[in-house]
């Protein structure tokens, strides 16, 4: 059965990769294909937004950018990890690695952030070629982590199109033990397919550029609705940031709760329509 007609739970049972399996299982358990991108700079807002949206079982996983947090302190990661256990969500650090294998392995494992030690999923630009996967895999695979490749972007004028996207898909197929899917705007099964492509392939599609009230921002971001993303384009997860916590520096917890539930419901209803 095609992936767009299968439930998250059925795909979880079949999936060989531990991080992908955990992601699919949790989506099914929480009935949420919403990933909230928590792009706030204050550590307390960061933890509050996650506590509120995940406490309501709204979101899974939470996407982070720890490099934007003011006065980053490693204890923040302990608190984030505790929340992820308490509320049953995976952490996806949207790090977008883009360097040579040796450097990305160090960026992933070391420094102040030690991303590999706490982030279940991370992502990378395919621009350096397959060596970026080899570098990240040397650190992440023994820890049971998963990698997403940026096959496409949501921004106006993105260069990640055509043969670039095709090469990203080939790279992912060649490393399917560690690459669990893509950041992309549509499904990738039919891209660069050849005789060697397995029918059992299940590469997940996590999609940013999702908004219910706006079609974009003033800096090139482009939004589509959850229905366009999940039902029409067959993607697996909607990634939503400002649509949930707004643009102001004061996070309004009640408004965040309401918006998160609105996006969760929209994403799940689009998925149910797709199955039907
Ligand atoms: P927004 O507030 O919903 O626009 O946030 C979208 C998030 O997804 C934000 O964290 C971006 O860094 C991230 N993103 C994106 O918007 N578009 C892309 O192509 C990629 C990531 Br890759």
């Amino acid at each position: 059965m095609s992936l767009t007609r299968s439930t998250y739970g059925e795909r979880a049972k079949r999936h060989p990769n531990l991080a992908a399996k955990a992601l699919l299982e949790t989506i099914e358990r929480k009935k949420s294909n919403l990933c909230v991108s928590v792009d706030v700079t204050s550590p307390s807002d960061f933890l509050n937004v996650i506590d509120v949206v995940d406490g309501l079982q709204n979101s899974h996983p939470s996407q982070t950018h720890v490099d934007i947090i003011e006065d980053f302190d490693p204890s923040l990661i302990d608190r984030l990890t505790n929340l992820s256990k308490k509320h049953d969500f995976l952490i996806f650090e949207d790090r977008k690695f883009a360097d040579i294998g040796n450097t990305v392995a160090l960026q992933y494992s070391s420094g102040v952030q030690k991303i590999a030690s706490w982030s279940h999923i991370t992502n990378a630009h395919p621009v350096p070629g397959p060596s970026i996967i080899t570098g990240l895999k040397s650190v992440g695979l023994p820890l049971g982590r998963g990698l997403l490749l940026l096959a496409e972007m949501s921004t106006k004028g993105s260069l990640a199109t055509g043969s670039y996207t095709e090469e990203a898909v080939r790279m992912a197929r060649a490393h399917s033990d560690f690459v669990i899917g893509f950041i992309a705007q549509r499904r990738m099964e039919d891209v660069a397919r050849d005789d060697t492509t397995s029918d059992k392939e299940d590469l997940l599609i996590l999609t940013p550029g999702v908004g219910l009230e706006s079609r974009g921002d003033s800096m090139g971001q482009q939004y589509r609705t959850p229905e366009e993303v999940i039902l029409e384009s067959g993607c697996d997860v909607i990634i939503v940031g400002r649509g949930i916590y707004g643009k102001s520096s004061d996070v309004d917890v009640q408004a965040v709760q309401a918006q998160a539930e609105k996006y969760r419901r929209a994403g799940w209803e689009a998925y149910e329509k797709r199955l039907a």
Side-chain angles (χ1 to χ4, degrees), residues 3 27 56 174 189 206 265:
L3 293 176
I27 291 173
L56 278 178
E189 280 79 44
L206 281 70
R265 201 175 327 113

Side-chain angles (χ1 to χ4, degrees), residues 37 39 63 65 94 96 150 153-154 183 208 221 223 241-242:
S37 180
D39 296 332
Q63 177 181 288
H65 284 135
D94 182 22
K96 302 190 180 78
L150 282 92
M153 292 193 71
S154 60
I183 300 293
Q221 176 68 295
Y223 291 125
R242 287 162 290 176

Side-chain angles (χ1 to χ4, degrees), residues 75-256:
S75 71
L76 183 77
I77 297 302
D78 295 336
R79 282 178 282 164
L80 172 64
T81 302
N82 286 340
L83 282 177
S84 100
K85 289 184 187 141
K86 179 174 154 200
H87 294 315
D88 182 25
F89 65 87
L90 296 192
I91 306 166
F92 162 34
E93 167 65 18
D94 182 22
R95 174 61 180 74
K96 302 190 180 78
F97 292 102
D99 211 322
I100 64 166
N102 184 60
T103 302
V104 294
L106 295 171
Q107 289 172 322
Y108 189 28
S109 64
S110 309
V112 188
Q113 295 166 353
K114 299 183 183 27
I115 293 166
S117 71
W118 51 268
S119 182
H120 305 95
I121 298 167
T122 192
N123 59 359
H125 285 287
V127 69
S131 55
I132 191 165
I133 304 178
T134 323
L136 292 169
K137 185 155 99 172
S138 70
V139 175
L141 194 61
L143 297 170
R145 305 308 190 202
L147 181 71
L148 300 165
L149 286 183
L150 282 92
E152 292 178 331
M153 292 193 71
S154 60
T155 38
K156 211 173 280 175
S158 163
L159 304 182
T161 60
S163 60
Y164 183 91
T165 301
E166 286 171 21
E167 281 309 316
V169 175
R170 288 193 188 97
M171 279 167 55
R173 287 191 180 127
H175 293 274
S176 59
D177 52 347
F178 185 52
V179 180
I180 62 170
F182 305 100
I183 300 293
Q185 300 291 311
R186 62 191 160 112
R187 293 220 69 81
M188 291 284 140
E189 280 79 44
D190 293 336
V191 174
R193 205 177 172 85
D194 64 25
D195 296 346
T196 63
T197 309
S198 163
D199 285 339
K200 298 203 173 86
E201 167 180 294
D202 185 348
L203 291 159
L204 310 180
I205 310 290
L206 281 70
T207 305
V210 180
L212 281 164
E213 275 118 34
S214 146
R215 297 306 280 179
D217 69 9
S218 60
M219 296 191 200
Q221 176 68 295
Q222 304 177 110
Y223 291 125
R224 293 182 298 159
T225 63
E227 180 145 324
E228 287 172 293
V229 170
I230 300 285
L231 177 64
E232 292 172 24
S233 300
C235 304
D236 297 316
V237 171
I238 50 170
I239 299 175
V240 185
R242 287 162 290 176
I244 286 178
Y245 49 76
K247 288 171 202 133
S248 85
S249 49
D250 287 330
V251 171
D252 173 343
V253 171
Q254 279 194 338
V256 167

